[in-house]
Amino acid sequence: MKLDARIPEGPIENKWTKHKAEIRLVNPANKRHIDVIVVGTGLAGASAAASMAEMGYNVKAFCFQDSPRRAHSIAAQGGINAAKNYQNDGDSTYRLFYDTIKGGDYRSREANVYRLAEVSASIIDQCVAQGVPFAREYGGLLDNRSFGGVQVSRTFYAKGQTGQQLLLGAYSALERQIAKGKVKMYARHEMLELVVVEGKARGIIARNLITGELERHSAHAVLLCSGGYGNVFFLSTNAMGSNVTAAWRAHKKGALFANPCFTQIHPTCIPVSGELQSKLTLMSESLRNDGRIWVPAKKEDAEAIRQGKLKPTQLTEEQRDYYLERRYPSFGNLVPRDVASRAAKERCDAGLGVNATGEAVYLDFSAAIERYGKTEANIRGLHSASKEEILKLGKDIVEAKYGNLFQMYEKITDDNPYETPMRIYPAVHYTMGGLWVDYNLMTTIPGCFALGEANFSDHGANRLGASALMQGLADGYFVAPYTVGDYLADEILTGTISTDTDAFVQAEKEAQDRIDHLLNNKGSKTVDHFHKRLGKIMWNECGMERSVEGLTKAIADIQALREEFYKEVRVPGKAETVNPELEKALRVADFIELGELMCRDALERNESCGGHFRAEYQTPEGEALRDDENFTFVSAWEYNGDPSSAKLHKEDLNYQFVEVKTRSYK
Amino acid sequence: MSAKSGVFSSSIVRKVWMSLTGLFLCSFLVVHLLGNLTLLRSDAGAAEAFNAYAHFMTTFPLIKITSYLLYFSILFHAVWGIMLEIKNRKARPVAYAYNNPSANSSWASRKMSLLGTIILVFIATHMYHFWAQMHFGTIPLDASGNKDLYTVVMEFFRHPSFGIPATLLYVVSMAALAFHLHHGFQSAFQTLGVNHRKYTPIIEKVGLVFSIAIPLAFAIIPVYIFLT
Amino acid sequence: MNLTLKIWRQSGPKDKGAMKTYPIQGVEADMSFLEMMDMLNEQLVGKGEEPVVFDHDCREGICGSCSMYINGEAHGPGRGITTCQLHMRSFNDGDTIYIEPWRAKAFPVIKDLMVDRSSFDRVIAAGGYVSVNTSGNTLDANAIPIPKEDADKAFDAATCIGCGACVATCKNSSAMLFVSAKVSQLALLPQGQVEAADRVLNMVHQMDLEGFGSCTNTGACEVECPKGISLENIARMNREFLTAAVSAD
């Protein structure tokens, strides 16, 4: 198989404009006869479904939640990047492009990333027109904040609920098309198979999660907007239902899976508290604008803190190690996520972690509270304000900026972050890898597209903060509606696709067999039991640091776990009803396969880059050591019967517009 | 029915009728109370003043017209309120096995229909005893030639056998009115869309004073008569 | 801690349903309420019984999926939180906890604690949007300055997560807080004003068709709303509605 990314010729600034101008169109009368399936209703899915319907296609949208508004994009907190340069700080399309390429550690495709930066400004315009209430300054214009890995303020936000506001904007656009009858919404439906007819994606098999019925749905194109696969780690910041099944089923039907090992571990999450924990909660990266990250400088102090004999507030400045500021003076606490996460792990591994498990560092706002307090006292003309008064004023400012996040932290941990530093630790947050797509976002199965986190395209080996929302909406609003049309131009004479063909019958049978097997299995262990064990293997061996031994062992362990799963899992209840255990079992079955592929990919990539850190490949200072000569490519895996025999294809990345450099945030 | 043609049967407009009739009834309470306060006078002219007031209220044309509006409002407010309550109850066919509504709302706000029913029963007995007497009964005339309602009132509350229950009925009913007004007054403004950070607290305070002062003043009258 | 759970079990929409008692041991204070439910379900599955079905997804208080009526209150005791943000440290050893689904005609029970809230989606579909097609040629985002105060108020209204606690809590099962939050958000922004009159009429009409009760201003919804959506929004919707109704032709 030859991977052709179909990148348009010409200078990078003109590629997208030229491509749009030359792309084939479907005339409005023909669009009415073309059906499009959209799986997932997050930012990518909802925006794509709404836009395609506005253009005139007949859209069927699917989500497993009870409403399209609940897709996990809703939980994104910090913001969305756009090269608007409203702050006049030197931002530009090129700079956003460059920051994203660099942030991705030179493992993403230039043309796609440039397009992303190019359409970013339109996203903000579109969202404001929809009534998305972004934060504004007193003059009535939009406000911006900074995020990790960049030196401009280009992040638009709506308090700590940016994802929610953007998703509700896309959801309302979607509901408008549902009301018009242009989108038929299938909530509480989960895609279980992709149907491929004569090499083209022609539909899906979906399970109605209420009746349990398997339904056949046909279409001229299938858009997978089903999100990432972070839940392979069991504990992650993903929603409980987030899963890889749609993407994995496409993979098994022939879509190549790219860079599966590129996982983003977010540095600021609330640490794991116990064995029965079901998920991890992110504290927005925006907190790193003002919070300082530290651990005790001495092991004894860390030990005393862990035993509860010492309080963090009792340590003097000299007894603290602000390790990010120390190691990366120019970016400080705002280094990219992969760097910040690894640095936290490094300190904790050195025995300086600060909670009972030894896996936590401090995120401290006391300096910010004092700084803001002083400024506020000056503004109010209180020149002889006491320390208490200053702290009070400072707390008010911090509360106005981050109140909801502080409150969330306190609710979960029962600690007051205004008085004592927050404890944080890295957690799995996002997956850069995903289905391989070409410039048109089409997978290697013609007619099957992947948008948003479900594809691999824009973030390379590490995603910058506030770029996921940007990519989801860029794909859904501004890229796919054009590029899918290019494919559909050949489909105007196809007519309605029958669901009675062998391919549909066969795909439905495959799904039915999986369900029957799971329900009839006379095992004794719950689905979560296996999911937790898989998560542990993945986190230990394919998490923040990977090694040949660890990965080799992990592959064997996962294979054994998979075998045990099919023998020992117990799924109660029936197929013909609401059955959450069955839903989980179907998802975990796919995770156990994916996990192995991730480990294989990590093992194959003999370098460290972005979120992929191989212990064998690091500089003497412990920084990631890339091997550009041998690994400047996208790994794209072809399914071949089982994950162990997956075949690796390479898409070489040719950097023509950016000079490939060692990424430094020092 | 489309949204535009159906506006008058919409849930919001139904509520607006409750709010408008309720506020109108509040204004009536003030007028009614002002007249009744003469019952508290102990001077010689009290009886004649009260009877003159009663005469004026039953004969002056403008008042007569307004009184029909008042009867309608009372009936409408009551019937409409009961209909809304029935409709609202249908919106929850299965009740909670365990509910703790006092955690989030005042007792009065949840019991408006009960309170309203008590008040309706009261109004019926009240009208039977005095309004009907005044309009259709044979009441002796006072010195000025007006019907001597004053004496009817005095004898009613000082009646040896049902003076005590009558007084109690009035006091209890006024308590119900107080709770009804406490929620109803500010609720009426909210329904009409008046909710403002600056003015709503004022409306709430006025409502509180109104809901205590008016029923209290009404309740003092029978107690005072009974005791003197 | 050891607890007694009394949970509503209903095998399907047509089943009558009943409260069932489940003792549970070894609950930890740091667990979230849903993790406690997970623990119960693990035990039930282990015994070969059907686990309790409930909606949940993000478990960080933003998706609006989780929806339990706990000890007589929507999302349980505690303010400004969803069920998933309720922690077991709010309970004491030996407590009995009642767990029921949202109760409303417009939210029929699907199974156990899971209800159908698609009526909310239909209300949004009736007008909870600005009719603007996707286009790379809309006005520049800064072309219309919006006073910060209006933008902030619009945002506050827009933080509604559509969980339905307002309906569950309201003695009339009224959806006014939910509907008014969306009406308010768009009424406060210049982008939403073009369609404001039609929007409020259509959304209220749909709300009534779905079988929600009417508002009697008890204020319970505001207290139980995990996002603290204000009653001001209901008043604003009343204003918007009455103005629209009077001027509608």
Side-chain angles (χ1 to χ4, degrees), chain A residues 334-638:
Chain A
L334 279 175
V335 290
R337 294 173 174 178
D338 55 338
V339 178
S341 292
R342 231 164 17 242
K345 178 175 162 41
E346 189 272 330
R347 286 290 83 189
C348 291
D349 288 352
L352 294 154
V354 295
N355 74 350
T357 62
E359 291 194 329
V361 299
Y362 288 125
L363 177 62
D364 195 336
F365 286 84
S366 54
I369 288 173
E370 205 175 321
R371 189 178 75 241
Y372 283 125
K374 277 186 187 149
T375 314
E376 190 63 16
N378 288 338
I379 291 171
R380 298 191 186 183
L382 307 168
H383 297 297
S384 56
S386 69
K387 181 144 188 180
E388 283 71 39
E389 283 167 330
I390 287 176
L391 292 183
K392 167 85 182 56
L393 291 170
K395 276 175 196 166
D396 290 348
I397 302 288
V398 167
E399 187 180 353
K401 281 175 99 97
Y402 308 112
N404 57 339
L405 297 169
F406 275 47
Q407 208 184 358
M408 185 162 87
Y409 180 86
E410 188 168 359
K411 272 172 205 158
I412 294 172
T413 62
D414 215 17
D415 266 349
N416 180 354
Y418 295 99
E419 304 297 338
T420 179
M422 284 184 183
R423 280 181 294 204
I424 53 160
Y425 198 67
V428 175
H429 178 57
Y430 184 90
T431 49
M432 282 74 70
L435 292 173
W436 184 90
V437 290
D438 63 14
Y439 190 70
N440 281 350
L441 303 183
M442 190 157 82
T443 66
T444 47
I445 302 173
C448 177
F449 294 77
L451 281 62
E453 193 179 347
N455 73 28
F456 88 104
S457 92
D458 296 342
H459 306 297
N462 173 56
R463 178 175 65 75
L464 289 181
S467 283
L469 304 186
M470 173 171 69
Q471 190 220 337
L473 289 180
D475 287 358
Y477 281 136
F478 296 112
V479 179
Y482 293 102
T483 59
V484 175
D486 188 51
Y487 169 81
L488 292 172
D490 284 335
E491 297 290 335
I492 53 176
L493 295 175
T494 308
T496 311
I497 295 161
S498 163
T499 56
D500 295 329
T501 53
D502 286 350
F504 276 94
V505 174
Q506 183 58 31
E508 185 183 312
K509 188 177 175 300
E510 284 166 27
Q512 189 63 56
D513 289 349
R514 278 191 287 148
I515 292 169
D516 291 345
H517 178 90
L518 289 167
L519 286 174
N520 295 331
N521 209 32
K522 297 277 172 278
S524 59
K525 291 172 183 148
T526 64
V527 177
D528 276 357
H529 167 86
F530 291 98
H531 197 175
K532 283 179 187 174
R533 279 170 58 192
L534 173 68
K536 280 225 170 86
I537 299 173
M538 294 301 294
W539 179 244
N540 290 338
E541 310 304 343
C542 198
M544 274 188 283
E545 187 175 304
R546 297 135 182 209
S547 67
V548 173
E549 302 75 52
L551 289 166
T552 314
K553 183 171 171 299
I555 290 171
D557 287 352
I558 294 170
Q559 287 169 347
L561 185 70
R562 192 159 62 231
E563 207 166 301
E564 191 186 333
F565 173 81
Y566 282 109
K567 268 194 212 138
E568 286 296 323
V569 75
R570 173 179 203 160
V571 183
K574 292 191 285 281
E576 305 79 25
T577 172
V578 184
N579 190 337
E581 287 295 312
L582 175 62
E583 294 163 26
K584 281 199 284 189
L586 288 163
R587 294 169 189 161
V588 169
D590 290 338
F591 278 135
I592 302 185
E593 294 187 2
L594 167 78
E596 186 181 341
L597 187 68
M598 288 170 72
C599 293
R600 279 201 60 199
D601 187 45
L603 190 58
E604 202 73 34
R605 193 169 276 278
N606 291 318
E607 62 161 352
S608 293
C609 62
H612 170 65
F613 188 82
R614 280 277 299 274
E616 302 90 347
Y617 306 97
Q618 52 182 310
T619 65
E621 303 95 65
E623 303 294 340
L625 191 62
R626 265 191 353 241
D627 178 354
D628 292 332
E629 198 167 320
N630 296 308
F631 290 94
T632 311
F633 63 77
V634 174
S635 315
W637 295 87
E638 182 186 357

Side-chain angles (χ1 to χ4, degrees), chain C residues 111-159:
Chain C
K111 190 172 181 180
D112 297 339
L113 304 172
M114 178 186 272
V115 300
D116 178 358
R117 288 169 286 190
S118 54
S119 46
F120 270 12
D121 290 325
R122 290 188 291 274
V123 170
I124 297 294
Y129 46 75
V130 175
S131 296
V132 51
N133 280 5
T134 305
S135 135
N137 306 314
T138 40
L139 278 183
D140 181 83
N142 262 348
I144 310 174
I146 301 173
K148 181 170 164 52
E149 200 182 327
D150 289 352
D152 286 351
K153 273 190 190 167
F155 170 81
D156 287 343
T159 55

Side-chain angles (χ1 to χ4, degrees), chain A residues 12-29:
Chain A
I12 198 148
E13 311 82 58
N14 298 343
K15 282 182 195 289
W16 178 233
T17 316
K18 183 165 164 281
H19 190 60
K20 272 199 294 184
E22 290 172 356
I23 219 162
R24 289 175 302 166
L25 301 175
V26 178
N27 92 34

